[in-house]
Amino acid sequence: MTDGRSFREGVDILNESDDLLDVDNHVPDEDIAAVAAEAIRSNGPAVRFSETSGVVTPVSGAFAGPEQATQYQEKPWTRLALALGLGTDAPYQRVVEGVAAPLATTTEPEETEILAESSDADCYSLGLPPLNPGEPPAFTLGVLAIKDGDETQWLPVRGTVRGTNRLRAVIPANSGIQPGAAVSLCLGVPAAVLTNTILHWLDRTQTGSIRPSTRSDAVSIAKHEGVTVPATSEVLVTGRVADFEVGPSSSDIETAWELAMDTDIVDISADAVAHRDSPRVPFVPLGTPLTDDIQIVGIVESARLNYRVNNYWGIAPAEWIRLPGEMGLGMCVVASEILYAGFEWQLSNTLFSFSNLFDKILILDEDTSAADLSRPLDDIWVKAHPSQDWVFSEPSAPAATAPKYRTDGTPGSRLFINATWDPRWDEEYIAPRVTYETSYPEEVRQTVSEMWDDLGFDSSNSS
């Protein structure tokens, strides 16, 4: 269970962990996306732009992480784990289980006072940076709270500023939103709010679940202009849905959650803006690999699939499931017990039926670590024979929505790769895995560690 840490607290912890770069020099709004994108491409720290022309302080990379193609102490999920209150050493499966918790339980959050205060700022003076020079100011990782009868519904949202008192927002389709509905755009919300909201809509659109959105009891809420919002939201823009014609999003640059579902565009007429002192708002340079939204959706979809698969047969065969951001969410990697010959076929079909993001599945032995992508790639050619273990569907499978190589919506094949030992084999026929520890005696390893220390290297990485 996560602790409902606010976005501001998460950024402060990144700063204390020396994983946050403060840019104190003034950066023009149109250059912020380029600087943020370069920091992510370089596997750099999160970036806080302290000197901008507006009210908000954009923060990029607060939930992102380094690629696993290169060895780093920090894992791709470390910053998200910190934001969720799980600590820097939280293993992958603990993060996944924490994110998936709302699928299993329904909790009532505590209602407290809102921290944002009324402001004279309008939508433009907030100073939200654009995604590209010449484009309107943009918000990327937000939540739209919509008045729905006596209840409030939360939706993932991104969009742009279209006037001093007008916003254009992209939201999940079939949300039931109507013109005139009271709404609040919430920016700088806790990570638990983002993961819970995206989890609900991924499950609703891909699995068909229609259960109401569940909120973590660790996240405090508040009433604001009659709408329930996260109490620690950094920025709140309240207003009403303007008259509109429902239509799909036409943007070429999308957040990762949009890849999994149909979307609509709505216009919002803003009445008031409230914010905290020097509000901090997550900013995602969309179109860049390994951005915050990709990391969040990869973890959330993995958590959703892990819950669905391990509650499907009445047993829990999957040790872990991952949609690595390095593969653009187009491949699902699963470490699972192979219950019997042919189970890998059933497992793959089950995963494909639960998600439309990917068209490739890699199945690994259950003892494979989720923290090392090199071994799965190694097992593809060590254990999987292309003529026997690479299984393609007929070339008429539904087109996956995350891969970029097919953009015309035409069907194609699906593929699963069985990189596991055959469960029918006796143990004596299965080759032992060679490791650094088993390959060299203790004396040799101790000598190597001492030599690394003498050379100024970190001996903990000598293996």
Side-chain angles (χ1 to χ4, degrees):
M1 180 61 69
T2 60
D3 72 352
R5 180 173 288 162
S6 72
F7 180 70
R8 176 173 297 227
E9 290 169 336
V11 173
D12 288 342
I13 290 174
L14 286 177
N15 189 36
E16 295 167 4
S17 305
D18 293 326
D19 197 20
L20 178 73
L21 174 65
D22 255 319
V23 180
D24 296 325
N25 296 329
H26 176 74
V27 178
D29 291 351
E30 61 269 19
D31 293 336
I32 288 178
V35 175
E38 184 57 35
I40 292 172
R41 273 193 291 264
S42 303
N43 292 316
V47 181
R48 177 167 55 190
F49 298 90
S50 302
E51 295 295 328
T52 61
S53 58
V55 175
V56 303
T57 299
V59 181
S60 172
F63 308 119
E67 58 177 328
Q68 280 195 282
T70 308
Q71 289 293 328
Y72 285 91
Q73 293 283 49
E74 179 188 349
K75 300 304 178 186
W77 56 84
T78 299
R79 290 180 195 164
L80 182 57
L82 279 174
L84 293 170
L86 299 177
T88 57
D89 58 347
Y92 173 76
Q93 195 60 15
R94 185 182 174 200
V95 178
V96 166
E97 289 170 355
V99 169
L103 289 172
T105 59
T106 300
T107 56
E108 289 297 327
E110 177 187 1
E111 188 165 335
T112 60
E113 293 295 322
I114 196 167
L115 296 182
E117 298 180 352
S118 298
S119 168
D120 294 332
D122 58 36
C123 297
Y124 265 131
S125 62
L126 281 174
L128 296 167
L131 293 174
N132 292 296
E135 294 185 356
F139 50 92
T140 46
L141 277 180
V143 168
L144 191 65
I146 301 175
K147 186 72 172 177
D148 185 9
D150 294 333
E151 302 294 328
T152 297
Q153 183 177 204
W154 289 356
L155 287 71
V157 64
R158 74 160 175 93
T160 53
V161 176
R162 295 292 173 152
T164 55
N165 297 300
R166 198 169 190 87
L167 303 170
R168 180 156 294 168
V170 180
I171 60 174
N174 303 315
S175 63
I177 189 172
Q178 297 293 327
V183 298
S184 286
L185 172 65
C186 312
L187 302 177
V189 300
V193 171
L194 288 175
T195 57
N196 289 4
T197 304
I198 293 173
L199 175 67
H200 166 72
W201 284 95
L202 287 176
D203 203 47
R204 177 171 175 172
T205 56
Q206 297 192 92
T207 311
S209 171
I210 57 173
R211 59 180 290 153
S213 179
T214 304
R215 302 178 189 128
S216 169
D217 59 355
V219 177
S220 58
I221 59 173
K223 289 287 187 180
H224 182 66
E225 303 294 338
V227 180
T228 302
V229 299
T232 59
S233 299
E234 295 283 320
V235 173
L236 290 168
V237 181
T238 56
R240 293 194 175 271
V241 177
D243 290 337
F244 65 91
E245 291 186 7
V246 174
S249 170
S250 59
S251 175
D252 292 331
I253 303 179
E254 302 173 309
T255 50
W257 60 263
E258 295 175 66
L259 299 174
M261 64 191 75
D262 294 331
T263 57
D264 288 333
I265 299 176
V266 299
D267 281 351
I268 298 171
S269 177
D271 298 326
V273 174
H275 61 78
R276 298 180 65 177
D277 184 43
S278 300
R280 303 168 188 181
V281 172
F283 175 74
V284 180
L286 298 179
T288 303
L290 298 174
T291 49
D292 300 60
D293 62 314
I294 293 175
Q295 300 286 14
I296 288 177
V297 171
I299 291 286
V300 170
E301 182 72 343
S302 299
R304 191 182 71 86
L305 291 173
N306 190 81
Y307 176 82
R308 292 299 175 198
V309 167
N310 283 337
N311 287 275
Y312 186 70
W313 287 285
I315 56 173
E319 187 67 27
W320 54 263
I321 297 175
R322 279 197 65 193
L323 271 67
E326 293 87 342
M327 300 174 185
L329 308 181
M331 174 179 277
C332 176
V333 184
V334 52
S336 176
E337 179 184 3
I338 303 302
L339 302 175
Y340 44 80
F343 178 74
E344 68 280 358
W345 182 88
Q346 285 187 307
L347 176 61
S348 296
N349 276 279
T350 302
L351 287 166
F352 280 134
S353 70
F354 282 152
S355 178
N356 61 13
L357 281 173
F358 49 84
D359 55 9
K360 300 172 292 295
I361 294 175
L362 173 60
I363 303 175
L364 307 168
D365 286 310
E366 60 182 319
D367 63 348
T368 310
S369 170
D372 182 10
L373 276 184
S374 61
R375 176 173 168 183
L377 298 175
D378 197 37
D379 282 358
I380 288 178
W381 65 270
V382 171
K383 297 181 183 178
H385 194 287
S387 67
Q388 300 177 35
D389 301 312
W390 288 50
V391 182
F392 290 87
S393 72
E394 294 296 323
S396 58
T401 54
K404 302 297 184 183
Y405 44 75
R406 186 183 295 112
T407 59
D408 57 1
T410 57
S413 295
R414 287 170 169 170
L415 163 69
F416 79 81
I417 303 171
N418 179 22
T420 65
W421 297 121
D422 193 315
R424 295 168 295 187
W425 287 8
D426 292 333
E427 287 290 331
E428 60 188 276
Y429 294 108
I430 298 178
R433 179 159 295 276
V434 177
T435 65
Y436 175 75
E437 286 76 18
T438 60
S439 299
Y440 300 96
E442 172 61 30
E443 296 80 7
V444 173
R445 286 185 277 129
Q446 180 63 34
T447 300
V448 171
S449 295
E450 292 173 356
M451 292 174 62
W452 274 63
D453 288 337
D454 292 341
L455 292 171
F457 297 116
D458 183 0
S459 61
S460 64
N461 290 328
S462 61
S463 57

